[in-house]
Every structure is written in C-alpha cells, then in structure tokens.
Amino acid sequence: MQLLHLANFVLHNLLQSRISFIIFFHCWAGNETFQFAQHINKPHHQPIYHQFAHLNDWNWDHLEQRYLDHLQPTLAIYVDLNCLRSRSLLVEASRSKLYNQHYHWLLHDNSEFFDFYEFFKTKNISVDADVSYVKQRHAGSSDDVIYTLYDVYSNGNHIGGQLNMTADCELVCSQVDCRLNRYLSSLHMRPKYSNREQLTDVVLRVATVVTQRPITWPREQLMRFLHQVNETHVDSLVRFGFQLSLILKDMLQCGMNFTFKDRWSLSDFNGGSVGAVVDQTADIGSAPCLATAGRLQHLSAIIETGYFRSVCLFSTPRNAGIRGDVFLQPFSALVWYLFGGFLLLIALLLWLAFLMESKRMHSRWRLQFVPSLLNTCLISFGAACIQSSALTPRSTGGRLAYFALFLISFIMYNYYTSVVVSSLLSSPVKSQIKTMQQLAESSLTVGLEPQSFTKSYLNYTQRPEIHLFSKRKIESQSKNPELWLPAEQGILRVRDRPGYVFVFEASSGYAYVERFFTQQQICNLNEILFRPELLLYTHLHRNSSYKELIRLKLLRVLETGVYRKHRTQWFRTKLHCYSQNFVITVGMEYVAPLFFMLICGYVLVLLLLLLELGWQRYVQRAH
C-alpha cells in the first residue's frame, strides 16, 4: 500500500476543504501507521490534528458520542474500505444519521470487488452529506497513484430518494506531492447545493394547519380551500404558508404529501404541526409559527415567513371621554396665573385712572360716577373675552392702559382659539385605556376569537397583566356562551356596542373591520396590543438535512419580491384612518363642560338675585 501517496492525497483534500481535524479508521500495521503519521506531521505541511482508530480494536455502540464528538464546524473522517470491519462502521453511521454536513467523509477503496453503489443505495445518506468516494488505481508505468473522487449524496432514502454519485475529478499523487489531473464533470464550477437543488425523486412530508375548516373534511375539499386566493382573511396565516409551500415545491421540483392538523401545537412543541416536525413524522410545516425558547431546543427557525399581531379593538363610549381639560391645555398653569394677575393689575390701574379723572380733570370731561373696583375687574375680564366696554377713560394714561389690555387679550385669544379648535377637530376622541393593565382594571366587556394560540398564550404567558386580564375578564365569564366569538361576529359587536372589546388576530380581523366600518368609524377605534408583535418563521427539525437547501430557496423567494407580493395579499397589519375625508363633529364629551359652566353661572346669578331681593326687602322693612 502506497501510504506516502495516500498521505499526500489526504493533505491535499483537507487543504482544499479547509479542514484541520481528521480521524482515521484503518487496519494498518503499527509501522505503517507510524510512517503515515510522520509524513503528515512534516513541518512544511499544514498543521493537521489527527487521531488513529484501528478498526479491530473498537465497537460501534454510541459511535458519535464515543468517537466523533467534536466542536469544529466539520470533522473529516477517513475510512479504509479494504478493512473487514469497515462495513459495520458504515452501517452504524447510516443508522446514526452521520452522513450529514457536520462530517467530511473520505471513503477510500483500492479493490475491484466492492460494489459501492449497491452497498450504499439503501443507506441513510442525506442531501447535505459531504461524502467523497475515493477510487484508487495505478498510473501506468510510473510509481504515481491516481485517485478518482465521486461526490455522493441522496435526497432522502426514507422518502424515496435515490443514491446519487457524481464524478468530480482525478488527482495524481506521488511520494512528494499531489496535483490535479483533470475534472470529470462541471461539479467544481458550482457550489455544493447548486448540484443538489432539485429533489425530483422525493415526496416531502408537509404538516399543514387548518383552523377555520373541519379537518374531517375530505382531503380534496381541504386542498381546494387552501388553494383558493379569495377571502384572504379566512385562515390567512395558514393559507399564506401553504402558498409559500407551493412555491417551494416548484423550485425544488419535488412532490409534497400534505397532512392536516387543527392547531400549531398542544403545548410549546408537542402535538399539531409543530409536534409533527419535532417527532420527524413531517419534514416541514407549511404554516409559519413563533420561535419560542422551547421550540428552538428541537427545531431550527429557517427564515422569516410571516407576521403575528394580536390586538384588542374597541370603540370609545361617548360618555367615556368627557373631559374639560381641553379648554385649559393651550396654556400651562403658570401662564394662566400670570394672565389672571395681569388682568387684575389692569383693573386696578383703570380704577385709579377713573378715580384721578374724577378729581383732577375738568368737570366737563369727567364721568358722572366713578366705577368701582369690581366694575373695572369686569371690564378687564370682558376685554380678555374680546368684549368692548361702555366706560372709556378720558385721560391719555387710562387709554394707554386700555390699549395694553386689548392688545394682550387679542394675542392670547387668537392663540387660545387656534389651539382649542385644532385640538377638537384634529382627531376623534380616543379612550384613556392604553395598556392591558388598564383594560383588565376597566369595566369594559371582553370577547375573544377562538384561536388555539390565543388560548395557549392565556395559559402559558408569564406577563402579570395578562394573568390579571384572564382572571377579571375571562374567568368571570367562564359560563358566558358569547365569550368566544367568530371574528365576524366579534367585529360587528365592536361596531354596534361602543365599549365592547374584541381580541383577535389582525391579519384576519382587519378585513372584517374594513368591510363593516365606515372610514369615520375606523378613526374612532382604539387598539391595544394583546401580545408583543412577533415574527413567524418556517421551522425544520434541528437535525434536518434540508435546512440549508430550503433556506437558500426561501431566500430566493424573499430576494425576488415574491414573498412581499404574497404577504401584501394575505396580511393586513394596519388600519388606515383618512380623517381628512370627512368632517369631524365635536361631541358632548368636549362641549358638556361648557354647558355645565353656563348652568353654574345662571344658578349663581339666580342666587345673587334672590340675595339682593332679600336684602332690599330687609332694608325697606328696617326703615
């Protein structure tokens, strides 16, 4: 056996593969192993970390844990197929599913009696396998050895995949070095997965969720429902994922066998479509799902293929927003105090001006009476309300005080009215309930869409405000048959009963809102996030051999805009309010405080009138 030639071949292969760790399964004599190790450890060679395992000294129980456990991206494994026990090693590797992307296999054969294809055609070699079959022969009269490499993989023996062997290249190795002789195919011109982009010989098992139709329906009827592209609000998440699965099917040129589930999962990763992928009865789930910590222990999130937004929607009750602070908001408290102090100062100055005029000015210019301080305060307040006055000072100083009063009142009034009008007409009244905590503590009635993920979230979330919401709003209505309503009925109830809160998934429920609500009613709606906005991902089993291939295909769908097109069709993530298209009326929630002030003023005037009449009558009786 030409060990030096083989050593040069191994070094050349590891250099091309960028791998520095290898384990040798062999049946060589001790001196041959020593000679081989000396050669690969020469200083001018790349550093190689290696281990030798004699096939006669090992058993293959727990092969991966005992011999192949590593922390490197890829571990190279050399197997001498001329050894008698090499067959049992290869069978155990197949049973343990070790022909995958984490191991770089070099299967060396220099005999004419081993039928590699017949031996491996039933073995579990995956589509992401990095297996090279190395066939050795002599290079004619010279001492050189020719190594022919074949790339070996299967699209999935368990789902109908056939063994593929593609001739790659020939290497001519001497005792000094190893060089490329020729390429045997175009395999070197494309990446690994470009050679494996078609799965024409397999039928992928796809777990499909259907929540809005009975899964007891005939298979053909369920498939017709999933193929439909109308009424996108019905099971939108599910049907969106199904459409992406059809695109993936066309790109992979494979078959797909759809199995139907009525939910994503029973718990975090058991049951439903998620459980089918976890226990590997399905290769992929068509409906995207959340990437939770529990699921990621068993699954890998490949790529974002969905969007999840669950909201609480309700209209503001007309009496729930009554507030008078809108009339005080244009100015801060300090500005109001300064303005009031300024009016009192002007009133005092006017009273002094009238008093001085009555004493100092010519009688012809005097007023017939001197206004009291209360009258001048009333004049000052009237000027602030843009009202004139029948009493006008005759002196220049008094008129300058009047001028200053009317000027500051004019500036304040114009700013005040512009802010108040813009506040009243800029947007409809919104509820002060903005969080789930406030909603749980409110007196509003709640209904929910009967979705499995909503029920699971209520049971398994750790958020204290959701626990409070469930205790006060859900448990208190446990016997209410109208607690769980279909999305259409719940949305109609939101429209007809202001103050009724309905919890639903936005991608499906928004279509009903746009159908049953006018534009003005949409602008009157309040929205609270029931749970944080989350992305949905397509998941495959953590050890799935299709992870990288499907990821590349879905990235292509994302890059070409196909994903965006379908997402726009199947998902509604926002309600649009076009408030400029209609006139916003100011309701009693704003005007009520003004009428209340007017009534209070009339009551006060009436009380003062009665008090004056009583005092006048008392004075007349006293005389």
Side-chain angles (χ1 to χ4, degrees):
M1 182 176 179
Q2 295 88 348
L3 289 178
L4 298 183
H5 302 76
L6 178 62
N8 288 328
F9 164 75
V10 171
L11 289 171
H12 182 276
N13 185 271
L14 294 180
L15 178 64
Q16 295 298 316
S17 304
R18 297 188 176 93
I19 300 175
S20 300
F21 297 82
I22 186 169
I23 180 170
F24 294 91
F25 290 99
H26 65 94
C27 55
W28 310 330
N31 62 330
E32 293 178 328
T33 306
F34 179 74
Q35 182 184 4
F36 187 93
Q38 272 191 323
H39 187 74
I40 64 175
N41 286 326
K42 286 184 178 179
H44 62 277
H45 291 156
Q46 71 173 100
I48 298 295
Y49 302 91
H50 58 274
Q51 179 183 353
F52 292 93
H54 201 287
L55 288 169
N56 294 333
D57 299 335
W58 302 88
N59 62 75
W60 313 125
D61 294 337
H62 309 290
L63 174 63
E64 184 174 20
Q65 291 81 2
R66 294 176 62 182
Y67 310 123
L68 306 180
D69 190 19
H70 67 97
L71 299 177
Q72 305 304 318
T74 307
L75 173 68
I77 303 173
Y78 168 87
V79 180
D80 189 348
L81 298 182
N82 298 301
C83 302
L84 294 178
R85 296 200 63 196
S86 63
R87 311 293 193 276
S88 60
L89 169 66
L90 298 177
V91 171
E92 178 60 25
S94 173
R95 190 190 66 80
S96 302
K97 301 179 181 179
L98 299 182
Y99 299 115
N100 55 50
Q101 61 180 340
H102 301 297
Y103 299 100
H104 175 68
W105 291 84
L106 290 174
L107 306 180
H108 177 215
D109 180 21
N110 62 359
S111 70
E112 301 294 335
F113 308 104
F114 179 61
D115 192 335
F116 183 89
Y117 189 89
E118 285 297 320
F119 181 83
F120 269 95
K121 70 179 182 180
T122 58
K123 299 299 182 288
N124 189 9
I125 299 181
S126 61
V127 70
D128 63 345
D130 186 3
V131 177
S132 294
Y133 174 54
V134 183
K135 188 69 177 175
Q136 175 183 330
R137 60 183 175 87
H138 291 284
S141 58
S142 67
D143 190 37
D144 295 344
V145 177
I146 296 178
Y147 295 95
T148 305
L149 275 71
Y150 296 85
D151 180 46
V152 182
Y153 72 95
S154 171
N155 290 332
N157 179 266
H158 62 292
I159 53 176
Q162 303 297 315
L163 185 67
N164 289 275
M165 294 181 62
T166 305
D168 184 11
C169 62
E170 281 186 356
L171 297 175
V172 178
C173 297
S174 65
Q175 295 184 9
V176 179
D177 61 2
C178 207
R179 63 187 184 278
L180 175 67
N181 185 32
R182 59 170 177 158
Y183 289 111
L184 302 176
S185 68
S186 60
L187 186 64
H188 65 284
M189 301 177 63
R190 52 185 183 271
K192 171 182 176 180
Y193 286 98
S194 293
N195 186 48
R196 309 175 186 196
E197 61 181 356
Q198 304 297 324
L199 305 179
T200 54
D201 54 349
V202 302
V203 178
L204 290 178
R205 300 165 299 172
V206 183
T208 307
V209 179
V210 179
T211 63
Q212 300 300 317
R213 295 293 185 269
I215 61 170
T216 55
W217 276 9
R219 174 185 177 83
E220 294 73 17
Q221 194 171 355
L222 288 173
M223 291 296 289
R224 281 198 300 270
F225 165 69
L226 292 172
H227 274 93
Q228 291 175 355
V229 294
N230 58 344
E231 295 186 337
T232 56
H233 58 282
V234 181
D235 252 359
S236 56
L237 285 174
V238 170
R239 294 163 67 194
F240 169 72
F242 180 79
Q243 296 296 325
L244 288 184
S245 297
L246 297 181
I247 296 173
L248 187 63
K249 176 183 176 182
D250 291 338
M251 297 179 73
L252 294 174
Q253 293 295 307
C254 65
M256 284 190 173
N257 180 26
F258 293 93
T259 57
F260 303 100
K261 310 290 183 180
D262 61 351
R263 63 190 67 204
W264 275 261
S265 63
L266 290 172
S267 62
D268 203 10
F269 52 83
N270 292 319
S273 66
V274 173
V277 179
V278 169
D279 60 27
Q280 295 186 303
T281 57
D283 300 304
I284 186 175
S286 68
C289 61
L290 297 174
T292 63
R295 289 173 180 171
L296 292 179
Q297 294 178 6
H298 306 273
L299 305 174
S300 293
I302 301 302
I303 193 173
E304 172 202 341
T305 48
Y307 189 83
F308 185 82
R309 191 168 188 267
S310 191
V311 298
C312 308
L313 195 73
F314 63 99
S315 299
T316 307
R318 299 306 293 178
N319 61 347
I322 291 180
R323 43 191 289 224
D325 60 341
V326 66
F327 298 102
L328 300 176
Q329 286 179 348
F331 302 116
S332 66
L334 179 62
V335 174
W336 283 115
Y337 292 145
L338 290 175
F339 186 51
F342 181 80
L343 294 179
L344 290 176
L345 178 62
I346 294 292
L348 178 61
L349 293 176
L350 288 176
W351 178 75
L352 290 175
F354 285 123
L355 182 62
M356 295 299 295
E357 289 177 5
S358 65
K359 293 182 177 181
R360 301 292 184 182
M361 293 188 69
H362 193 275
S363 58
R364 189 176 58 180
W365 299 101
R366 299 176 190 172
L367 293 175
Q368 296 180 355
F369 66 96
V370 178
S372 65
L373 183 59
L374 184 60
N375 280 338
T376 56
C377 287
L378 187 61
I379 291 172
S380 179
F381 182 75
C385 299
I386 314 300
Q387 302 298 317
S388 184
S389 173
L391 299 178
T392 306
R394 302 301 179 87
S395 63
T396 304
R399 293 185 175 184
L400 286 176
Y402 247 48
F403 177 79
L405 174 63
F406 285 123
L407 179 62
I408 190 64
S409 298
F410 173 77
I411 295 173
M412 294 284 288
Y413 178 81
N414 277 276
Y415 181 83
Y416 176 83
T417 53
S418 62
V419 172
V420 170
V421 169
S422 64
S423 299
L424 292 176
L425 300 183
S426 61
S427 61
V429 178
K430 294 294 183 180
S431 172
Q432 296 300 309
I433 301 174
K434 303 294 184 183
T435 65
M436 288 301 299
Q437 178 81 19
Q438 294 173 333
L439 178 59
E441 295 172 349
S442 70
S443 60
L444 302 181
T445 304
V446 172
L448 301 95
E449 184 181 10
Q451 294 283 7
S452 58
F453 46 75
T454 301
K455 297 177 182 179
S456 298
Y457 184 68
L458 289 171
N459 292 329
Y460 296 107
T461 183
Q462 300 298 318
R463 294 173 61 192
E465 62 270 25
I466 300 299
H467 291 167
L468 180 64
F469 173 83
S470 179
K471 181 179 180 180
R472 294 193 176 184
K473 301 297 183 182
I474 309 301
E475 295 177 7
S476 61
Q477 301 186 72
S478 58
K479 297 183 179 180
N480 182 6
E482 295 184 341
L483 174 62
W484 300 91
L485 293 174
E488 183 174 2
Q489 295 182 27
I491 296 299
L492 286 172
R493 188 164 294 192
V494 170
R495 184 194 67 181
D496 300 334
R497 299 185 188 178
Y500 175 80
V501 184
F502 188 64
V503 182
F504 63 97
E505 208 286 314
S507 63
S508 59
Y510 279 169
Y512 291 116
V513 175
E514 294 174 351
R515 179 186 300 180
F516 298 129
F517 284 66
T518 65
Q519 279 297 316
Q520 185 166 359
Q521 289 173 328
I522 290 177
C523 293
N524 290 334
L525 291 174
N526 299 273
E527 216 176 72
I528 301 173
L529 279 179
F530 178 63
R531 61 192 299 175
E533 297 180 1
L534 297 169
L535 297 175
L536 300 175
Y537 296 86
T538 293
H539 287 76
L540 272 75
H541 193 274
R542 194 171 183 179
N543 296 324
S544 173
S545 61
Y546 301 102
K547 287 194 300 186
E548 186 64 17
L549 179 61
I550 292 180
R551 186 185 70 85
L552 292 173
K553 294 300 183 183
L554 291 179
L555 274 176
R556 183 62 177 166
V557 174
L558 188 66
E559 292 169 349
T560 54
V562 176
Y563 168 78
R564 183 180 181 87
K565 170 184 176 294
H566 280 271
R567 177 170 172 171
T568 303
Q569 177 182 0
W570 291 97
F571 285 99
R572 288 177 174 82
T573 58
K574 186 178 180 181
L575 287 175
H576 298 282
C577 171
Y578 303 100
S579 58
Q580 66 271 21
N581 291 345
F582 54 85
V583 177
I584 298 177
T585 57
V586 180
M588 284 298 296
E589 62 274 0
Y590 285 126
V591 180
L594 298 182
F595 285 108
F596 180 74
M597 292 169 59
L598 181 63
I599 293 173
C600 290
Y602 280 128
V603 171
L604 180 61
V605 169
L606 181 60
L607 291 176
L608 290 175
L609 175 61
L610 294 175
L611 184 61
E612 288 182 349
L613 291 176
W615 176 257
Q616 184 66 27
R617 187 172 182 180
Y618 172 77
V619 171
Q620 290 177 354
R621 284 183 178 181
H623 289 288

